[in-house]
Amino acid sequence: MGGTTHSSTDPFPPLLDVSDVTRSFPGVRALSGMRLDLRHGEVLALVGENGAGKSTLMRLLSGVDQPDTGRFLLDGREIRPSGPGHARSLGIGIIHQEFSLVPDLTVAQNLFLGREPRRWRWFVDRRALDRRAAELVAELGLPLDPDAPVATLSVAHQQLVEIARALSHRPRVLIMDEPTAALDADEVETLHALIRRFQGPNTGVIYISHRMDEIRRVADRITVIRDGRYVATRAVSTTSTDEVVSLMVGRAVATSTAPAPTRVARRPGPVVLSVRGLSTRGLLRDVSFDLHEGEILGFAGLMGAGRTETARALVGADPSTGGTVEVRGRPARIRNPAEAAALGVGYLSEDRKRYGLLLDHDVGTNITLAALASRFATAGVVRRRAARTAAQGYVRALGVRTPSLDRPVRNLSGGNQQKVVLARWLARDCDVLIVDEPTRGVDVGAKEEIHQLLEGLANDGTSVIVISSELPEVLRLSDRVVVMSEGRVTGILPAAEASQEAIMRYATLRPENTGTPPPDRDAPGDQYRAGAPEPTAPEHGREARP
């Protein structure tokens, strides 16, 4: 484990000591008697289910909100951050789960927003700004272009900008709230290397994550909270994942990523969605695949491989430059997500804040919005009681933690917001459901519930596309796995032949060095051997092998 370990008899006070902190909001007590201590030089993981109070505590530490009671001690001295700027001046930096970037500004401008170098008194010194940004990005080893507008970046690269901005303040206490939710494996390793470089005798990290494998690699101790209260603190080296999860949820939860028996037994039906030669300007090239009725089709690949771009082009969120789409054998020209929904194709974006939610509207409205016309209206009049009853049913089924359907979605935790987006498309009752990072920011218990829900949908005949940066999740859910690299499909693997090693081999192929024969439309699956140098006649029912 990285960092300096301190014993309980250490004569020095903790770097950060939180004691008896309480915070209430209208209708809910978010924290009650909360406590934790962060030692010098350590990484302390903070875990708990969605809605347990993790983000609330971090907002208090960063000065965004104020506690009702309790105190914070930094090196034995009481502090009370009055705002984010004050917290930074005290040495507390935070990387929020939800971004706080200005999309129309460049990476460099976002990194030093509010503290730009100036010439004379009023004019920003752009040359100095760009130089400092380039030096910071190079120092941290991040794949960022300081001149790029943030609006043009992927979600993962926006997350890296947030990380770089927090580190640019040289904090003593660095709080990371789900920092790897949008990152692929290589970017996660880059982040963990940054953490190890950051650790020292006068610094410490509070690391909030639902990914237990990451916690075990990077953290020294784990503090568990549940329902706004402190539960326990354990050393990572002597605590099993199952024990941590049981402390989080108050019950035993299976943490295995092994494929479920129902997934192996499921036999896909006829082709529901057929995509041929889908291309976009600058990235996607000749993307082809079939999706069968009752099938879960996983999409895997490294960052920038084109997984999300494929989904967005498919539903008309981004313009395509070529290719055809057929829905149940009929050609479909989909120009926007509304037209996709009308054809029974629903899309859950990876960026729920930007594309998935009406943040200032209530939970009930967000759940039923997509289905109002099709399910909850008669002669143009909305049947509000029916809509509300249905919304309440989805809240119960998905375990959405909210005081009522009338609570604004903005006030829910990130994981509960994700459940609301999922509930919206369940209410819409789509034939094809495309879910991009379905469990991003979701706790272990809720992740398993979402997995079971997606499998249940497939068992009932819904066709599901799952895009995920977590290979165990792809392997857990998928009947077949489409692997992409640099905008092209490099392989399609049936579940029996899919493994992390096989997927990574295809994910690292250079597309220009692989042949791309057309799929065999008569076969039960996509007989698509993108790794082969020329078209072949594969054995019936089998697909690409690495």
Side-chain angles (χ1 to χ4, degrees):
M1 297 296 169
T4 303
T5 303
H6 297 260
S7 70
S8 59
T9 59
D10 195 326
F12 298 102
L15 174 60
L16 178 68
D17 189 19
V18 176
S19 59
D20 197 30
V21 170
T22 300
R23 181 68 168 104
S24 296
F25 297 97
V28 62
R29 173 164 283 195
L31 297 174
S32 181
M34 180 58 60
R35 61 187 176 92
L36 66 77
D37 66 280
L38 172 67
R39 299 169 179 172
H40 293 78
E42 83 165 340
V43 176
L44 176 69
L46 181 64
V47 301
E49 289 190 282
N50 293 120
K54 305 183 298 295
S55 294
T56 298
L57 178 58
M58 297 309 105
R59 287 171 63 86
L60 300 183
L61 282 169
S62 61
V64 176
D65 291 324
Q66 299 299 308
D68 300 328
T69 64
R71 65 177 187 166
F72 305 137
L73 301 179
L74 186 63
D75 268 334
R77 295 185 177 182
E78 185 167 0
I79 61 171
R80 194 177 185 90
S82 58
H86 186 212
R88 284 192 293 269
S89 71
L90 294 170
I92 298 176
I94 185 167
I95 301 166
H96 290 285
Q97 182 178 355
E98 306 300 342
F99 305 148
S100 56
L101 304 173
V102 181
D104 294 332
L105 298 183
T106 67
V107 169
Q109 290 168 324
N110 272 276
L111 290 177
F112 295 99
L113 188 63
R115 52 197 175 104
E116 301 89 345
R118 296 186 179 274
R119 291 183 298 174
W120 301 292
R121 187 173 181 180
W122 303 108
F123 299 99
V124 173
D125 188 338
R126 286 298 304 271
R127 183 173 297 177
L129 175 68
D130 292 341
R131 184 179 65 253
R132 289 187 188 180
E135 290 172 351
L136 177 64
V137 168
E139 176 190 349
L140 299 179
L142 300 179
L144 296 173
D145 177 4
D147 295 327
V150 164
T152 66
L153 302 183
S154 67
V155 172
H157 281 88
Q158 289 181 37
Q159 180 71 80
L160 295 179
V161 176
E162 288 276 14
I163 292 168
R165 183 165 66 177
L167 290 173
S168 73
H169 290 276
R170 313 296 178 185
R172 296 193 59 204
V173 175
L174 181 61
I175 302 166
M176 312 183 98
D177 192 354
E178 296 288 352
T180 65
L183 306 184
D184 67 12
D186 288 339
E187 300 298 341
V188 170
E189 288 305 316
T190 297
L191 175 65
H192 288 176
L194 287 177
I195 292 174
R196 287 188 284 272
R197 294 211 304 268
F198 173 79
Q199 286 176 272
N202 294 311
T203 61
V205 177
I206 297 176
Y207 191 92
I208 302 173
S209 179
H210 296 306
R211 298 180 175 182
M212 290 297 164
D213 58 331
E214 289 181 16
I215 288 174
R216 302 199 74 83
R217 292 203 305 270
V218 76
D220 298 287
R221 295 185 302 149
I222 303 176
T223 290
V224 183
I225 66 176
R226 184 172 68 240
D227 297 330
R229 296 177 179 274
Y230 171 87
V231 175
T233 298
R234 298 282 190 269
V236 170
S237 59
T238 59
T239 308
S240 69
T241 297
D242 286 343
E243 181 181 354
V244 174
V245 173
S246 295
L247 289 170
M248 285 170 52
V249 302
R251 65 185 187 279
V253 174
T255 59
S256 172
T257 57
T262 54
R263 182 182 65 79
V264 175
R266 190 164 52 238
R267 295 184 62 85
V271 172
V272 173
L273 181 70
S274 181
V275 178
R276 293 290 178 269
L278 186 63
S279 303
T280 62
R281 189 180 305 278
L283 182 61
L284 300 184
R285 291 173 290 166
D286 300 321
V287 172
S288 300
F289 62 90
D290 286 334
L291 175 67
H292 296 259
E293 185 177 278
E295 175 183 41
I296 297 181
L297 184 65
F299 271 69
L302 301 177
M303 184 187 300
R307 299 164 300 165
T308 293
E309 290 80 2
T310 296
R312 289 181 57 83
L314 179 59
V315 300
D318 291 336
S320 60
T321 58
T324 62
V325 176
E326 292 183 359
V327 179
R328 293 198 177 276
R330 295 184 177 182
R333 185 165 179 258
I334 302 174
R335 292 167 293 188
N336 54 61
E339 292 184 357
L343 291 170
V345 180
Y347 173 52
L348 280 73
S349 168
E350 65 171 339
D351 191 345
R352 58 177 173 258
K353 289 279 191 180
R354 189 174 179 186
Y355 300 116
L357 294 167
L358 300 176
L359 293 173
D360 294 322
H361 287 71
D362 59 66
V363 172
T365 298
N366 271 275
I367 290 176
T368 59
L369 185 63
L372 281 179
S374 60
R375 285 189 58 188
F376 306 117
T378 302
V381 178
V382 175
R383 294 179 284 112
R384 298 189 180 278
R385 180 175 297 180
R388 190 172 182 85
T389 299
Q392 190 65 61
Y394 288 113
V395 165
R396 286 195 299 268
L398 297 182
V400 180
R401 292 194 175 191
T402 177
S404 74
L405 291 177
D406 300 319
R407 186 174 183 82
V409 168
R410 183 184 298 278
N411 295 338
L412 300 186
S413 68
N416 283 297
Q417 290 177 351
Q418 185 80 330
K419 291 181 182 181
V420 169
V421 179
L422 186 56
R424 173 187 296 175
W425 289 108
L426 294 179
R428 185 65 174 79
D429 195 22
C430 296
D431 294 327
V432 175
L433 187 60
I434 305 171
V435 288
D436 196 349
E437 303 292 355
T439 59
R440 177 188 173 199
V442 172
D443 63 70
V444 175
K447 177 180 288 189
E448 181 62 23
E449 292 170 359
I450 291 175
H451 287 174
Q452 292 177 0
L453 177 64
L454 293 175
E455 287 178 329
L457 289 172
N459 289 337
D460 291 338
T462 300
S463 304
V464 182
I465 291 177
V466 172
I467 302 169
S468 178
S469 299
E470 297 186 46
L471 288 184
E473 180 167 69
V474 172
L475 294 171
R476 163 75 168 82
L477 291 171
S478 304
D479 297 296
R480 293 181 301 141
V481 180
V482 177
V483 189
M484 298 189 68
S485 176
E486 299 181 18
R488 293 182 72 171
V489 174
T490 52
I492 299 180
L493 302 170
E497 299 175 12
S499 66
Q500 294 198 35
E501 293 77 11
I503 290 173
M504 288 307 298
R505 287 186 65 184
Y506 279 113
T508 55
L509 283 178
R510 301 286 299 184
E512 59 267 28
N513 295 330
T514 62
T516 54
D520 179 357
R521 297 175 65 93
D522 296 327
D526 292 316
Q527 309 300 315
Y528 192 72
R529 297 192 53 194
E534 59 185 17
T536 61
E539 179 184 346
H540 183 78
R542 299 181 63 82
E543 299 186 64
R545 283 180 181 262

